[in-house]
Amino acid sequence: MVLTKTVLNAAPSPAYICPTARTCSYLGQAAVDLQMDPNILRMLEQPRKVITVSIPVQLDNGEVQVLAGHRVQHCDVLGPYKGGIRYHPGVTLEEVSSLAMLMTWKCALLGIPYGGAKGGIAIDPAQYSVRELERITRRYTSELIKDIGPAIDIPAPDVGTSEREMAWMMDTYSMNKGYAVPGVVTGKPLSIGGSKGRKLATGRGVMIVVREALAERGQSFKDVTVAIQGFGKVGNATAYLMYEEGAKILAVSDVSGGLFDSNGLDIPALMDYAARNRGSLAGFMGAQRISNEELLTLPCDVLVPAALEDQITEDNCDRIQAKIVAEAANGPVTLVADQMLHHRGVMVLPDILANAGGVVVSYLEWVQGQSYVFWDEDRVNREMEGLMVKAYQRVSENARKMSVPMRRAAYMLGVGRVAEALSDRGLYP
């Protein structure tokens, strides 16, 4: 057995802005709006537990690589922790901490009895074989065995992971417990307790929130044009569902670049091509090629950033021509850009609302698993739609009443519910 060097997270660039600082700035604004007790704010600014584990993994060639795995548990005052597991080269402890806090507000906003968590490993899954990924996932799960569980912390898929990794996590946890524990993760395959409707859930949530925003303006999807940055699990589902509702999808993109058609793209054909091309749009010949940067600034009614964070910044937000920006990704609009878009009259549907469909159906999967009663897809979709519509209505009403942007209104509701719960429960000991 040959030992190789430990793989560490890359050092941030000089222009790097800590994502936790941005998330805390939203919390700070909500605290001012809510006139929050400073003692409650101090508790919410810090995660309850930060876990970093060493993951030695034997590669197929016999070498051993040592990875660092993170899991941050922000707040469980409303219920067990909930959040995804991300495999991406850009994973850092700061990013995971920020996303865990966002998940706390998201669950509270939707009225789901969960707290926020997030986990990840800084790897590119494409650089590892399936057998290597399985060993990484199982060792990571083993290292977290005392910190996860159906009543403690319930992981789910995120960027770079899928139902496959969740099946490995569920099996590893169950083997350590000595019996099957399907509730330890969500986003599992149907064969081991997954929920119908999960695959399209986040995209469906984005579609529902945009639909409600359009309806308030007297519009429907048949009246609008849409550009979607990102054609992964979320962007793919969002494009398909909006296309089915009658929207004209002008452009989509992935890491290989973008595709544009002024007459509207054939989304089913694109999905079929991507499925046959390992998920990539590279080489598709049925549309004009554009860059990801050009996609963001196209003339359109609705822009959906569904890739990674910090895609719309102060450098390009003045060129955004969409009337509605729906944050299907986490943090795709920077703090300064968000303020600039608001001053220009662009509605930004914040991530803690727009992309909450995934955690809603994760919650419904958990409920089904705990009761051992499983629903058909129509019921799952109805239950999810009801929660998403109610959440949108609460945020929209609060935004009008307080004369604030949708993001600020959403944070006031989500943060306010957690703060109220902390105050009611009190401080132990």
Side-chain angles (χ1 to χ4, degrees), residues 45 66 77 138 148 180 199 266 283 310 352 375 418:
E45 285 176 331
V66 183
V77 68
R138 290 185 180 275
I148 60 175
K199 189 168 293 185
D266 184 341
D310 297 338
I352 64 170
W375 308 335
V418 177

Coordinates of all heavy atoms in Angstrom, one line a residue, residues 45 66 77 138 148 180 199 266 283 310 352 375 418:
E45 N -25.8 33.2 14.9 CA -24.7 33.5 14.0 C -23.7 32.4 14.0 O -22.8 32.3 13.0 CB -23.9 34.8 14.6 CG -24.6 36.1 14.3 CD -24.0 37.3 14.9 OE1 -23.3 37.1 16.0 OE2 -24.1 38.4 14.3
V66 N -5.9 10.8 1.0 CA -6.5 11.3 2.2 C -7.3 12.6 1.9 O -6.7 13.6 1.6 CB -5.6 11.5 3.4 CG1 -6.3 11.9 4.6 CG2 -4.7 10.2 3.6
V77 N -33.3 23.8 16.5 CA -34.3 24.2 17.5 C -35.7 23.8 17.0 O -36.6 23.6 17.8 CB -34.2 25.7 17.7 CG1 -34.6 26.5 16.5 CG2 -35.2 26.1 18.9
R138 N -18.8 5.6 1.7 CA -18.9 4.7 2.9 C -18.0 5.1 4.0 O -18.4 5.1 5.2 CB -18.7 3.3 2.4 CG -19.9 2.7 1.5 CD -19.7 1.2 1.3 NE -20.7 0.7 0.4 CZ -21.9 0.3 0.8 NH1 -22.2 0.3 2.1 NH2 -22.8 -0.2 0.0
I148 N -25.2 11.5 12.6 CA -26.4 11.5 11.7 C -27.4 10.4 12.2 O -27.0 9.6 13.0 CB -25.9 11.2 10.2 CG1 -25.3 9.8 10.1 CG2 -25.1 12.3 9.7 CD1 -24.9 9.4 8.6
A180 N -32.1 -2.2 9.0 CA -32.4 -1.2 7.9 C -32.9 0.1 8.5 O -33.9 0.0 9.3 CB -33.3 -1.8 6.9
K199 N -37.2 13.3 -8.0 CA -36.3 13.7 -9.1 C -36.5 15.1 -9.6 O -35.5 15.8 -9.9 CB -36.3 12.6 -10.2 CG -35.3 12.8 -11.2 CD -35.2 11.5 -12.2 CE -34.8 10.3 -11.4 NZ -34.7 9.1 -12.3
D266 N -36.0 23.0 -28.1 CA -36.8 21.8 -27.9 C -36.2 21.1 -26.7 O -35.2 20.4 -26.8 CB -36.7 20.9 -29.2 CG -37.5 19.7 -29.1 OD1 -37.9 19.3 -28.0 OD2 -37.7 19.0 -30.2
G283 N -21.5 19.5 -28.1 CA -21.7 18.9 -29.4 C -23.1 19.0 -30.0 O -23.3 18.6 -31.1
D310 N -22.6 33.0 -6.9 CA -21.9 34.2 -7.4 C -21.8 34.3 -8.9 O -20.8 34.7 -9.5 CB -20.5 34.3 -6.8 CG -20.5 34.4 -5.3 OD1 -21.5 34.9 -4.7 OD2 -19.5 34.0 -4.6
I352 N -33.8 30.7 -0.7 CA -34.4 30.0 0.4 C -35.9 29.8 0.1 O -36.5 29.0 0.8 CB -34.2 30.7 1.8 CG1 -34.9 32.1 1.8 CG2 -32.8 30.8 2.1 CD1 -34.9 32.7 3.2
W375 N -46.8 7.2 -0.8 CA -47.8 7.8 -1.5 C -47.5 7.7 -3.0 O -46.4 7.5 -3.5 CB -47.9 9.3 -1.2 CG -48.0 9.6 0.3 CD1 -48.6 8.7 1.3 CD2 -47.6 10.8 1.0 NE1 -48.5 9.3 2.5 CE2 -48.0 10.6 2.4 CE3 -47.1 12.0 0.6 CZ2 -47.7 11.6 3.3 CZ3 -46.8 13.0 1.6 CH2 -47.2 12.8 2.9
V418 N -37.4 30.9 13.6 CA -36.3 30.2 14.4 C -36.1 31.0 15.7 O -35.9 30.4 16.8 CB -35.0 30.1 13.6 CG1 -33.9 29.5 14.4 CG2 -35.3 29.3 12.3

